[in-house]
Amino acid sequence: MSKLWEQMLLVPSVVRLTSRAPKDPSAAWDGYWRGIRTTGRSGDVLWDSGSQTELEQYTDAVLGHFNPALPVIDIGCGNGTNTRWLAGLFPRAIGIDVSVGAIALARREAAGLHNVEFLAMDATEPGAGEHLLESVGPANVFVRGVFHVLKPDQQASLATNLRTVVGKNGRVFLAETNFPGSSLAYLQELGATRRSMPRQLQRALENLPRPGHFGTQERHNTFPDSDWHLIADGPAHIEVTPMNANGHSQHVPGYFALLAGA
């Protein structure tokens, strides 16, 4: 059976699952996080692999370019896995997420860490940049896996807010999934078949906005040269929670970019 035909056989299951997702993205994310029971490599969250191998791809860039005198804001922090990692590298880390449920979980998982804070807010809302600048001050920004689930107008709004936050001395590091094939091929790559669907993948389909690509062209559209200076970019490997029978690591093709305000 051809791969294309196998992908087409996924359509009924995908339509059934995605039809359940809330139409309001904020409600969707909050409902998703409030239903999470376990996190980490064997947990419920598709992208929460906790992979040190993936984070090692980013370490040189953030240590080499983030101003250590500034705090680091982790946009779309979820349960705070990356926020806690950043807190081990910098004096102060702040996790931001649109979901109140995610922030509550992140605070529980970061109990005992004194240089970590979490705020529930929508970083794509107009004025969010000014609010963060007032409450946190100029900052570096880390983003993993957020832009690819936003619509183009939300991507542009988030980038505008980040430009306000980084000011003259902050930097933005982003890493996004950038699978080259169709959405059905992407699901198949993650382990979906016409007979079965990994539980982490099923939960995401039932609750969350449909993901897309975010690579060089999307970055150029979202972070225009008039506002941003590109320091570096290139391919990245985004690791997801293992969803195969043998528990081996699973990677998704991705894209990273390091930017400063123009």
Side-chain angles (χ1 to χ4, degrees), residues 182-199:
S182 67
S183 57
L184 290 174
Y186 181 41
L187 295 177
Q188 194 175 41
E189 181 77 10
L190 292 176
T193 71
R194 62 192 178 99
R195 295 186 178 88
S196 66
M197 183 81 65
R199 60 184 175 83

Side-chain angles (χ1 to χ4, degrees), residues 32-142:
Y32 173 83
W33 280 109
R34 290 184 185 279
I36 295 299
R37 296 293 174 261
T38 59
T39 58
R41 185 175 175 84
S42 60
D44 299 331
V45 184
L46 175 64
W47 55 90
D48 184 36
S49 66
S51 167
Q52 290 301 308
T53 302
E54 180 188 339
L55 294 177
E56 286 169 3
Q57 297 176 96
Y58 315 145
T59 302
D60 288 347
V62 298
L63 287 178
H65 293 274
F66 278 16
N67 187 334
L70 300 180
V72 182
I73 298 176
D74 178 17
I75 300 291
C77 67
N79 60 304
T81 297
N82 294 321
T83 320
R84 298 192 299 274
W85 167 68
L86 292 165
L89 302 177
F90 298 97
R92 185 185 180 199
I94 302 100
I96 305 293
D97 202 280
V98 69
S99 166
V100 174
I103 293 300
L105 179 57
R107 286 172 176 158
R108 292 196 298 272
E109 295 194 352
L113 294 179
H114 302 294
N115 63 332
V116 176
E117 305 161 48
F118 294 99
L119 299 172
M121 66 178 297
D122 185 349
T124 69
E125 283 291 316
E130 287 80 2
H131 176 73
L132 282 172
L133 187 63
E134 181 179 346
S135 59
V136 176
N140 302 296
V141 175
F142 180 86

Side-chain angles (χ1 to χ4, degrees), residues 167-253:
K168 295 180 179 179
N169 298 315
R171 300 290 183 266
V172 171
F173 181 90
L174 63 88
E176 298 287 335
T177 59
N178 192 35
F179 188 78
S182 67
S183 57
L184 290 174
Y186 181 41
L187 295 177
Q188 194 175 41
E189 181 77 10
L190 292 176
T193 71
R194 62 192 178 99
R195 295 186 178 88
S196 66
M197 183 81 65
R199 60 184 175 83
Q200 298 95 334
L201 188 55
Q202 179 174 328
R203 176 178 288 276
L205 288 172
E206 288 177 324
N207 289 276
L208 300 178
R210 182 177 177 178
H213 305 279
F214 198 91
T216 303
Q217 187 59 56
E218 290 80 10
R219 188 269 308 159
H220 190 270
N221 295 340
T222 305
F223 295 86
D225 294 342
S226 57
D227 294 331
W228 296 92
H229 166 62
L230 178 66
I231 299 171
D233 73 339
H237 296 288
I238 308 296
E239 191 163 333
V240 297
T241 303
M243 292 174 285
N244 47 52
N246 53 28
H248 291 171
S249 298
Q250 288 183 258
H251 301 88
V252 177

